[in-house]
Amino acid sequence: MARQNWKRYRSVKSERLQKCSKSNPPSPPFGKGGKGGFPGGKQYKVVKPFIIALWLSLLFLPFKGLNAALLFFIIFSVLFLFLKFLSPYKIIFTSGLQTFGKKIHDSFFVTRYPSLITRYALLLLIFIIPFLARDYFIDVAILAGIYIILALGLNVVVGFAGLLNLGFVAFYAIGAYSYALLNTKFGLDFWSALPFSIGLTAASGFLLAIPALRLKGDYLAIVTLGFGEIVRLILNNWDSVTRGPNGISGIAPPSIMSISFGKPSHYYYLVLFFVIFTVFITRRVHSSRIGRAWIAIREDEIASSVMGINTTLYKLYACAFGAFWAGLAGAIFAGKMQFVSPESFTFMESVLIVCMVILGGLGSIIGVTLGAVILVLLPEILREVQLYRMLALGAGLVLLMIFRPQGLLGGKGVSLRG
């Protein structure tokens, strides 16, 4: 049976290769030019730095005017030409960055004595943050923890299984609203409502995946985007249940044995516990048989099915498992804010979570965690220059995709094949 499946796989591959005959040769990469290549490819390599500099300077045009945009164009052109001059040393820089990422990974996950010291020192710093920082910075740290859980959940779907989901915020909203309704209308506390919230969210992810997984690539992304907008519009217009744009207020914060987590310092440790729990479970699942099946599906779905993997079932597992963590993050968010409204679950939240995953590196747990922390802290650091902070954030992401498409700690480029 396995031999027959392998022959079927080889026949599919041969049909693909036969399409690329001598009369229809495969196209070389975009930047290679030459005979049979992209016309003017070499010229494109020459003008590429100036194109990037022109794009960046045009971003500043509405804010500073034409003269400042021209000055930025000159500065960026010189900067990118200098970087192009240093391109022969790119291999040395890349290898150094990979070595740095490996050292970070070893410091967290490899049980050697120096690494244990680094690990425990970092954990000590994380645990004493409420004693060193003000309430504002503790609130930012809590928000970072919630986004870490969201990014790790999306990393299961996008990074492990290779399914592009642009409506992940819908599960975040379902988790938040389910806890808000169970608490305000039925009087359930956080711990009693939490299983219902995450169970409902995981079931929603599973049910959405049943029809959506018939599609692939961009079409799947559009379907999930539409699902996110449908959920937001329902929350915004179902006044009798969700109170529409007014939202739901009066949500009780979590408590244990009459100890309330209403204070930011107390809530910080609750979020930290859930972050550690999320990282531990996702790492264990990633190393399990299910995680290896997800990676195989991401790399080559046809080869995975030939080797006996039920690709449809494992994709359903990925969608439900990722939605599970989104529901957990939504319940934590509702308990922290004690108020939920549709404005907190827009499409831009989904985009932000996807950026966290791509910035850290698809499939990298520690990289996604780092990406979430950066994208939460960076806008707060640049709050004094509020007019330019989103501009700087967007330009930084574009440059990262140009010069390091695999992310900060990822080992592969961004590739979501349909």
Side-chain angles (χ1 to χ4, degrees):
M1 189 66 179
R3 186 183 295 274
Q4 293 177 355
N5 290 337
W6 178 251
K7 287 182 178 180
R8 182 165 59 88
Y9 171 67
R10 293 293 299 272
S11 65
V12 172
K13 284 291 186 181
S14 62
E15 289 177 1
R16 291 182 178 179
L17 293 175
Q18 286 174 2
K19 294 180 181 179
C20 298
S21 59
K22 290 184 179 180
S23 61
N24 184 27
S27 300
F30 177 69
K32 282 190 176 179
K35 186 177 180 180
F38 179 77
K42 294 182 179 179
Q43 289 82 351
Y44 173 77
K45 283 186 175 182
V46 175
V47 302
K48 182 179 178 180
F50 298 100
I51 295 175
I52 299 173
L54 179 62
W55 174 78
L56 290 174
S57 60
L58 287 176
L59 292 178
F60 283 92
L61 182 61
F63 302 101
K64 291 294 185 179
L66 182 60
N67 294 331
L70 290 175
L71 179 62
F72 282 123
F73 174 72
I74 296 172
I75 294 174
F76 288 138
S77 299
V78 173
L79 177 62
F80 289 129
L81 286 176
F82 178 71
L83 293 176
K84 188 175 180 60
F85 175 75
L86 295 178
S87 60
Y89 305 98
K90 180 181 179 181
I91 298 177
I92 301 175
F93 174 76
T94 305
S95 62
L97 191 59
Q98 291 176 351
T99 304
F100 175 71
K102 187 176 183 302
K103 287 182 178 180
I104 293 178
H105 182 274
D106 293 342
S107 298
F108 284 107
F109 303 121
V110 180
T111 58
R112 292 182 298 180
Y113 183 72
S115 302
L116 284 174
I117 297 176
T118 305
R119 185 193 309 177
Y120 291 138
L122 182 58
L123 287 176
L124 179 63
L125 177 62
I126 292 174
F127 273 100
I128 64 175
I129 282 179
F131 300 98
L132 303 177
R134 294 177 295 178
D135 287 348
Y136 169 76
F137 296 104
I138 297 174
D139 284 334
V140 174
I142 291 171
L143 187 63
I146 294 173
Y147 275 106
I148 287 173
I149 298 173
L150 282 170
L152 289 173
L154 184 60
N155 188 44
V156 172
V157 182
V158 179
F160 294 170
L163 306 172
L164 184 56
N165 189 336
L166 295 181
F168 197 69
V169 72
F171 307 117
Y172 183 36
I174 292 173
Y177 266 87
S178 59
Y179 168 60
L181 291 172
L182 289 172
N183 180 258
T184 56
K185 292 185 178 296
F186 298 97
L188 295 181
D189 62 358
F190 179 82
W191 303 106
S192 301
L194 186 60
F196 294 99
S197 297
I198 59 180
L200 177 62
T201 311
S204 301
F206 190 87
L207 293 176
L208 171 67
I210 291 175
L213 289 182
R214 297 176 180 271
L215 306 172
K216 296 181 181 180
D218 300 338
Y219 302 101
L220 176 61
I222 293 172
V223 169
T224 55
L225 188 155
F227 174 72
E229 286 301 300
I230 289 171
V231 170
R232 186 185 65 83
L233 291 174
I234 290 175
L235 297 177
N236 196 48
N237 293 282
W238 199 1
D239 293 341
S240 60
V241 176
T242 64
R243 300 180 187 173
N246 296 324
I248 301 175
S249 58
I251 304 170
S255 60
I256 298 178
M257 298 176 62
S258 71
I259 300 175
S260 177
F261 289 91
K263 292 183 179 180
S265 58
H266 296 169
Y267 212 90
Y268 172 84
Y269 289 109
L270 179 67
V271 174
L272 181 61
F273 165 76
F274 281 117
V275 169
I276 295 174
F277 175 74
T278 306
V279 172
F280 175 76
I281 296 298
T282 51
R283 286 190 67 239
R284 296 294 294 177
V285 172
H286 181 255
S287 303
S288 68
R289 182 175 180 271
I290 296 176
R292 293 194 297 270
W294 286 338
I295 300 300
I297 293 171
R298 183 191 69 185
E299 296 300 324
D300 196 325
E301 186 174 349
I302 297 177
S304 302
S305 61
V306 167
M307 298 308 293
I309 297 175
N310 189 339
T311 56
T312 302
L313 183 62
Y314 280 101
K315 286 181 181 180
L316 292 174
Y317 288 164
C319 293
F321 190 62
F324 174 90
W325 299 112
L328 175 61
I332 296 171
F333 174 80
K336 172 64 179 70
M337 298 301 177
Q338 302 178 26
F339 171 78
V340 290
S341 66
E343 286 77 14
S344 300
F345 310 104
T346 60
F347 170 66
M348 291 309 299
E349 290 294 313
S350 290
V351 173
L352 181 61
I353 302 168
V354 172
C355 290
M356 292 173 181
V357 176
I358 294 177
L359 175 63
L362 290 174
S364 172
I365 294 176
I366 188 65
V368 168
T369 303
L370 181 62
V373 172
I374 291 174
L375 289 187
V376 171
L377 294 182
L378 188 60
E380 301 301 326
I381 295 173
L382 300 177
R383 185 169 290 276
E384 294 184 358
V385 285
Q386 186 174 2
L387 187 62
Y388 302 101
R389 60 175 181 165
M390 297 309 296
L391 173 65
L393 180 61
L397 289 174
V398 170
L399 293 177
L400 180 71
M401 290 298 98
I402 293 174
F403 296 105
R404 189 170 174 81
Q406 66 268 40
L408 295 176
L409 298 179
K412 294 186 62 178
V414 177
S415 177
L416 297 171
R417 291 178 288 184

